[in-house]
PDB file of all heavy atoms in Angstrom:
ATOM      1  N   ASN T   1      84.103  63.049  85.671  1.00  0.00           N
ATOM      2  CA  ASN T   1      82.749  62.891  86.202  1.00  0.00           C
ATOM      3  C   ASN T   1      81.884  64.058  85.804  1.00  0.00           C
ATOM      4  O   ASN T   1      82.325  65.258  85.924  1.00  0.00           O
ATOM      5  CB  ASN T   1      82.772  62.799  87.709  1.00  0.00           C
ATOM      6  CG  ASN T   1      83.374  61.522  88.220  1.00  0.00           C
ATOM      7  OD1 ASN T   1      83.170  60.485  87.654  1.00  0.00           O
ATOM      8  ND2 ASN T   1      84.001  61.560  89.374  1.00  0.00           N
ATOM      9  N   TYR T   2      80.708  63.802  85.308  1.00  0.00           N
ATOM     10  CA  TYR T   2      79.747  64.797  85.015  1.00  0.00           C
ATOM     11  C   TYR T   2      78.449  64.606  85.800  1.00  0.00           C
ATOM     12  O   TYR T   2      78.034  63.437  85.981  1.00  0.00           O
ATOM     13  CB  TYR T   2      79.334  64.849  83.531  1.00  0.00           C
ATOM     14  CG  TYR T   2      80.444  65.315  82.568  1.00  0.00           C
ATOM     15  CD1 TYR T   2      81.154  64.397  81.800  1.00  0.00           C
ATOM     16  CD2 TYR T   2      80.697  66.644  82.393  1.00  0.00           C
ATOM     17  CE1 TYR T   2      82.127  64.821  80.899  1.00  0.00           C
ATOM     18  CE2 TYR T   2      81.674  67.097  81.518  1.00  0.00           C
ATOM     19  CZ  TYR T   2      82.373  66.197  80.787  1.00  0.00           C
ATOM     20  OH  TYR T   2      83.338  66.570  79.919  1.00  0.00           O
ATOM     21  N   ALA T   3      77.865  65.697  86.236  1.00  0.00           N
ATOM     22  CA  ALA T   3      76.486  65.594  86.710  1.00  0.00           C
ATOM     23  C   ALA T   3      75.545  65.140  85.620  1.00  0.00           C
ATOM     24  O   ALA T   3      75.757  65.497  84.445  1.00  0.00           O
ATOM     25  CB  ALA T   3      76.023  66.939  87.278  1.00  0.00           C
ATOM     26  N   ASP T   4      74.554  64.348  85.978  1.00  0.00           N
ATOM     27  CA  ASP T   4      73.644  63.798  85.009  1.00  0.00           C
ATOM     28  C   ASP T   4      72.969  64.966  84.242  1.00  0.00           C
ATOM     29  O   ASP T   4      72.684  64.872  83.055  1.00  0.00           O
ATOM     30  CB  ASP T   4      72.599  62.937  85.649  1.00  0.00           C
ATOM     31  CG  ASP T   4      73.099  61.595  86.111  1.00  0.00           C
ATOM     32  OD1 ASP T   4      74.191  61.223  85.618  1.00  0.00           O
ATOM     33  OD2 ASP T   4      72.441  60.984  86.889  1.00  0.00           O
ATOM     34  N   SER T   5      72.736  66.088  84.904  1.00  0.00           N
ATOM     35  CA  SER T   5      72.002  67.208  84.344  1.00  0.00           C
ATOM     36  C   SER T   5      72.761  67.927  83.218  1.00  0.00           C
ATOM     37  O   SER T   5      72.199  68.638  82.464  1.00  0.00           O
ATOM     38  CB  SER T   5      71.594  68.220  85.454  1.00  0.00           C
ATOM     39  OG  SER T   5      72.698  68.725  86.100  1.00  0.00           O
ATOM     40  N   VAL T   6      74.110  67.683  83.183  1.00  0.00           N
ATOM     41  CA  VAL T   6      74.880  68.410  82.184  1.00  0.00           C
ATOM     42  C   VAL T   6      75.545  67.490  81.184  1.00  0.00           C
ATOM     43  O   VAL T   6      76.205  67.995  80.247  1.00  0.00           O
ATOM     44  CB  VAL T   6      75.997  69.269  82.851  1.00  0.00           C
ATOM     45  CG1 VAL T   6      75.398  70.199  83.915  1.00  0.00           C
ATOM     46  CG2 VAL T   6      77.091  68.434  83.461  1.00  0.00           C
ATOM     47  N   LYS T   7      75.449  66.176  81.324  1.00  0.00           N
ATOM     48  CA  LYS T   7      75.960  65.238  80.366  1.00  0.00           C
ATOM     49  C   LYS T   7      75.497  65.497  79.003  1.00  0.00           C
ATOM     50  O   LYS T   7      74.323  65.682  78.778  1.00  0.00           O
ATOM     51  CB  LYS T   7      75.661  63.820  80.786  1.00  0.00           C
ATOM     52  CG  LYS T   7      76.440  63.316  81.977  1.00  0.00           C
ATOM     53  CD  LYS T   7      76.099  61.857  82.282  1.00  0.00           C
ATOM     54  CE  LYS T   7      76.881  61.345  83.480  1.00  0.00           C
ATOM     55  NZ  LYS T   7      76.519  59.997  83.865  1.00  0.00           N
ATOM     56  N   GLY T   8      76.413  65.535  78.036  1.00  0.00           N
ATOM     57  CA  GLY T   8      76.039  65.764  76.646  1.00  0.00           C
ATOM     58  C   GLY T   8      76.023  67.211  76.299  1.00  0.00           C
ATOM     59  O   GLY T   8      75.946  67.595  75.126  1.00  0.00           O
ATOM     60  N   ARG T   9      76.091  68.136  77.306  1.00  0.00           N
ATOM     61  CA  ARG T   9      76.015  69.588  77.060  1.00  0.00           C
ATOM     62  C   ARG T   9      77.338  70.291  77.455  1.00  0.00           C
ATOM     63  O   ARG T   9      77.712  71.215  76.814  1.00  0.00           O
ATOM     64  CB  ARG T   9      74.863  70.201  77.785  1.00  0.00           C
ATOM     65  CG  ARG T   9      73.488  69.648  77.390  1.00  0.00           C
ATOM     66  CD  ARG T   9      72.327  70.473  77.972  1.00  0.00           C
ATOM     67  NE  ARG T   9      72.352  70.450  79.425  1.00  0.00           N
ATOM     68  CZ  ARG T   9      72.442  71.437  80.212  1.00  0.00           C
ATOM     69  NH1 ARG T   9      72.579  72.687  79.679  1.00  0.00           N
ATOM     70  NH2 ARG T   9      72.416  71.312  81.585  1.00  0.00           N
ATOM     71  N   PHE T  10      77.893  69.836  78.583  1.00  0.00           N
ATOM     72  CA  PHE T  10      79.094  70.460  79.104  1.00  0.00           C
ATOM     73  C   PHE T  10      80.305  69.620  78.841  1.00  0.00           C
ATOM     74  O   PHE T  10      80.182  68.330  78.848  1.00  0.00           O
ATOM     75  CB  PHE T  10      78.994  70.696  80.655  1.00  0.00           C
ATOM     76  CG  PHE T  10      78.003  71.726  81.103  1.00  0.00           C
ATOM     77  CD1 PHE T  10      77.071  72.303  80.139  1.00  0.00           C
ATOM     78  CD2 PHE T  10      77.985  72.166  82.367  1.00  0.00           C
ATOM     79  CE1 PHE T  10      76.139  73.223  80.567  1.00  0.00           C
ATOM     80  CE2 PHE T  10      77.074  73.115  82.797  1.00  0.00           C
ATOM     81  CZ  PHE T  10      76.188  73.681  81.889  1.00  0.00           C
ATOM     82  N   ASN T  11      81.422  70.235  78.631  1.00  0.00           N
ATOM     83  CA  ASN T  11      82.672  69.497  78.423  1.00  0.00           C
ATOM     84  C   ASN T  11      83.751  70.061  79.280  1.00  0.00           C
ATOM     85  O   ASN T  11      84.007  71.260  79.250  1.00  0.00           O
ATOM     86  CB  ASN T  11      83.144  69.533  76.960  1.00  0.00           C
ATOM     87  CG  ASN T  11      82.118  68.850  76.029  1.00  0.00           C
ATOM     88  OD1 ASN T  11      81.865  67.689  76.119  1.00  0.00           O
ATOM     89  ND2 ASN T  11      81.599  69.640  75.080  1.00  0.00           N
ATOM     90  N   ILE T  12      84.434  69.210  80.066  1.00  0.00           N
ATOM     91  CA  ILE T  12      85.544  69.652  80.887  1.00  0.00           C
ATOM     92  C   ILE T  12      86.814  69.213  80.313  1.00  0.00           C
ATOM     93  O   ILE T  12      86.950  68.092  79.708  1.00  0.00           O
ATOM     94  CB  ILE T  12      85.427  69.143  82.355  1.00  0.00           C
ATOM     95  CG1 ILE T  12      86.475  69.770  83.259  1.00  0.00           C
ATOM     96  CG2 ILE T  12      85.450  67.585  82.407  1.00  0.00           C
ATOM     97  CD1 ILE T  12      86.242  69.443  84.733  1.00  0.00           C
ATOM     98  N   SER T  13      87.827  70.060  80.360  1.00  0.00           N
ATOM     99  CA  SER T  13      89.167  69.683  79.889  1.00  0.00           C
ATOM    100  C   SER T  13      90.166  70.297  80.798  1.00  0.00           C
ATOM    101  O   SER T  13      89.880  71.239  81.552  1.00  0.00           O
ATOM    102  CB  SER T  13      89.361  70.192  78.447  1.00  0.00           C
ATOM    103  OG  SER T  13      89.253  71.572  78.307  1.00  0.00           O
ATOM    104  N   ARG T  14      91.347  69.720  80.757  1.00  0.00           N
ATOM    105  CA  ARG T  14      92.404  70.145  81.743  1.00  0.00           C
ATOM    106  C   ARG T  14      93.712  70.274  81.011  1.00  0.00           C
ATOM    107  O   ARG T  14      94.148  69.291  80.297  1.00  0.00           O
ATOM    108  CB  ARG T  14      92.448  69.151  82.890  1.00  0.00           C
ATOM    109  CG  ARG T  14      93.389  69.465  83.981  1.00  0.00           C
ATOM    110  CD  ARG T  14      93.230  68.483  85.128  1.00  0.00           C
ATOM    111  NE  ARG T  14      94.267  68.615  86.102  1.00  0.00           N
ATOM    112  CZ  ARG T  14      94.404  67.918  87.229  1.00  0.00           C
ATOM    113  NH1 ARG T  14      93.450  66.969  87.516  1.00  0.00           N
ATOM    114  NH2 ARG T  14      95.432  68.053  88.036  1.00  0.00           N
ATOM    115  N   ASP T  15      94.440  71.266  81.240  1.00  0.00           N
ATOM    116  CA  ASP T  15      95.791  71.511  80.735  1.00  0.00           C
ATOM    117  C   ASP T  15      96.692  71.440  81.955  1.00  0.00           C
ATOM    118  O   ASP T  15      96.851  72.408  82.676  1.00  0.00           O
ATOM    119  CB  ASP T  15      95.897  72.815  79.996  1.00  0.00           C
ATOM    120  CG  ASP T  15      97.244  73.014  79.325  1.00  0.00           C
ATOM    121  OD1 ASP T  15      98.243  72.357  79.770  1.00  0.00           O
ATOM    122  OD2 ASP T  15      97.304  73.754  78.325  1.00  0.00           O
ATOM    123  N   ASN T  16      97.295  70.275  82.158  1.00  0.00           N
ATOM    124  CA  ASN T  16      98.215  70.148  83.313  1.00  0.00           C
ATOM    125  C   ASN T  16      99.413  71.035  83.327  1.00  0.00           C
ATOM    126  O   ASN T  16      99.868  71.498  84.348  1.00  0.00           O
ATOM    127  CB  ASN T  16      98.595  68.649  83.495  1.00  0.00           C
ATOM    128  CG  ASN T  16      97.459  67.721  83.758  1.00  0.00           C
ATOM    129  OD1 ASN T  16      96.513  68.094  84.447  1.00  0.00           O
ATOM    130  ND2 ASN T  16      97.544  66.544  83.270  1.00  0.00           N
ATOM    131  N   ALA T  17      99.968  71.228  82.078  1.00  0.00           N
ATOM    132  CA  ALA T  17     101.142  72.124  82.016  1.00  0.00           C
ATOM    133  C   ALA T  17     100.838  73.589  82.441  1.00  0.00           C
ATOM    134  O   ALA T  17     101.694  74.222  83.031  1.00  0.00           O
ATOM    135  CB  ALA T  17     101.652  72.156  80.569  1.00  0.00           C
ATOM    136  N   LYS T  18      99.618  73.985  82.234  1.00  0.00           N
ATOM    137  CA  LYS T  18      99.196  75.349  82.597  1.00  0.00           C
ATOM    138  C   LYS T  18      98.410  75.350  83.910  1.00  0.00           C
ATOM    139  O   LYS T  18      98.024  76.458  84.384  1.00  0.00           O
ATOM    140  CB  LYS T  18      98.326  75.943  81.511  1.00  0.00           C
ATOM    141  CG  LYS T  18      99.076  76.145  80.193  1.00  0.00           C
ATOM    142  CD  LYS T  18      98.167  76.768  79.167  1.00  0.00           C
ATOM    143  CE  LYS T  18      98.861  77.007  77.865  1.00  0.00           C
ATOM    144  NZ  LYS T  18      97.942  77.616  76.819  1.00  0.00           N
ATOM    145  N   ASN T  19      98.176  74.177  84.555  1.00  0.00           N
ATOM    146  CA  ASN T  19      97.400  74.081  85.731  1.00  0.00           C
ATOM    147  C   ASN T  19      96.064  74.787  85.571  1.00  0.00           C
ATOM    148  O   ASN T  19      95.639  75.538  86.432  1.00  0.00           O
ATOM    149  CB  ASN T  19      98.172  74.647  86.935  1.00  0.00           C
ATOM    150  CG  ASN T  19      99.360  73.792  87.326  1.00  0.00           C
ATOM    151  OD1 ASN T  19      99.297  72.550  87.279  1.00  0.00           O
ATOM    152  ND2 ASN T  19     100.469  74.391  87.746  1.00  0.00           N
ATOM    153  N   THR T  20      95.442  74.538  84.520  1.00  0.00           N
ATOM    154  CA  THR T  20      94.166  75.166  84.126  1.00  0.00           C
ATOM    155  C   THR T  20      93.141  74.167  83.780  1.00  0.00           C
ATOM    156  O   THR T  20      93.378  73.190  83.140  1.00  0.00           O
ATOM    157  CB  THR T  20      94.407  76.140  82.938  1.00  0.00           C
ATOM    158  OG1 THR T  20      95.372  77.121  83.298  1.00  0.00           O
ATOM    159  CG2 THR T  20      93.102  76.842  82.598  1.00  0.00           C
ATOM    160  N   VAL T  21      91.882  74.417  84.237  1.00  0.00           N
ATOM    161  CA  VAL T  21      90.775  73.569  83.882  1.00  0.00           C
ATOM    162  C   VAL T  21      89.732  74.417  83.188  1.00  0.00           C
ATOM    163  O   VAL T  21      89.532  75.608  83.551  1.00  0.00           O
ATOM    164  CB  VAL T  21      90.151  72.890  85.135  1.00  0.00           C
ATOM    165  CG1 VAL T  21      89.577  73.896  86.133  1.00  0.00           C
ATOM    166  CG2 VAL T  21      89.130  71.825  84.719  1.00  0.00           C
ATOM    167  N   TYR T  22      89.121  73.845  82.212  1.00  0.00           N
ATOM    168  CA  TYR T  22      88.092  74.562  81.375  1.00  0.00           C
ATOM    169  C   TYR T  22      86.783  73.894  81.446  1.00  0.00           C
ATOM    170  O   TYR T  22      86.670  72.698  81.662  1.00  0.00           O
ATOM    171  CB  TYR T  22      88.529  74.638  79.912  1.00  0.00           C
ATOM    172  CG  TYR T  22      89.903  75.193  79.717  1.00  0.00           C
ATOM    173  CD1 TYR T  22      91.056  74.351  79.677  1.00  0.00           C
ATOM    174  CD2 TYR T  22      90.131  76.568  79.568  1.00  0.00           C
ATOM    175  CE1 TYR T  22      92.304  74.855  79.467  1.00  0.00           C
ATOM    176  CE2 TYR T  22      91.397  77.066  79.343  1.00  0.00           C
ATOM    177  CZ  TYR T  22      92.496  76.242  79.310  1.00  0.00           C
ATOM    178  OH  TYR T  22      93.735  76.763  79.127  1.00  0.00           O
ATOM    179  N   LEU T  23      85.727  74.611  81.322  1.00  0.00           N
ATOM    180  CA  LEU T  23      84.378  74.107  81.235  1.00  0.00           C
ATOM    181  C   LEU T  23      83.681  74.779  80.060  1.00  0.00           C
ATOM    182  O   LEU T  23      83.348  75.982  80.105  1.00  0.00           O
ATOM    183  CB  LEU T  23      83.573  74.307  82.525  1.00  0.00           C
ATOM    184  CG  LEU T  23      82.201  73.661  82.514  1.00  0.00           C
ATOM    185  CD1 LEU T  23      82.331  72.093  82.530  1.00  0.00           C
ATOM    186  CD2 LEU T  23      81.390  74.160  83.718  1.00  0.00           C
ATOM    187  N   GLN T  24      83.422  73.991  79.002  1.00  0.00           N
ATOM    188  CA  GLN T  24      82.674  74.533  77.862  1.00  0.00           C
ATOM    189  C   GLN T  24      81.234  74.126  78.070  1.00  0.00           C
ATOM    190  O   GLN T  24      80.909  72.923  78.151  1.00  0.00           O
ATOM    191  CB  GLN T  24      83.193  73.950  76.537  1.00  0.00           C
ATOM    192  CG  GLN T  24      82.459  74.416  75.318  1.00  0.00           C
ATOM    193  CD  GLN T  24      82.575  75.946  75.140  1.00  0.00           C
ATOM    194  OE1 GLN T  24      83.699  76.470  75.297  1.00  0.00           O
ATOM    195  NE2 GLN T  24      81.477  76.584  74.798  1.00  0.00           N
TER     196      GLN T  24
END
């Protein structure tokens, strides 16, 4: 899910093995 205001600009990704989430 992305907020409408950030769609196309922000990218979320998740590494389950590392229990880490990223936001570019």
Side-chain angles (χ1 to χ4, degrees):
N1 289 326
Y2 290 103
D4 288 341
S5 60
V6 307
K7 286 181 179 177
R9 299 189 297 120
F10 291 11
N11 296 299
I12 189 170
S13 60
R14 181 173 170 180
D15 186 334
N16 293 327
K18 297 180 179 179
N19 291 322
T20 300
V21 65
Y22 307 92
L23 185 69
Q24 181 63 44

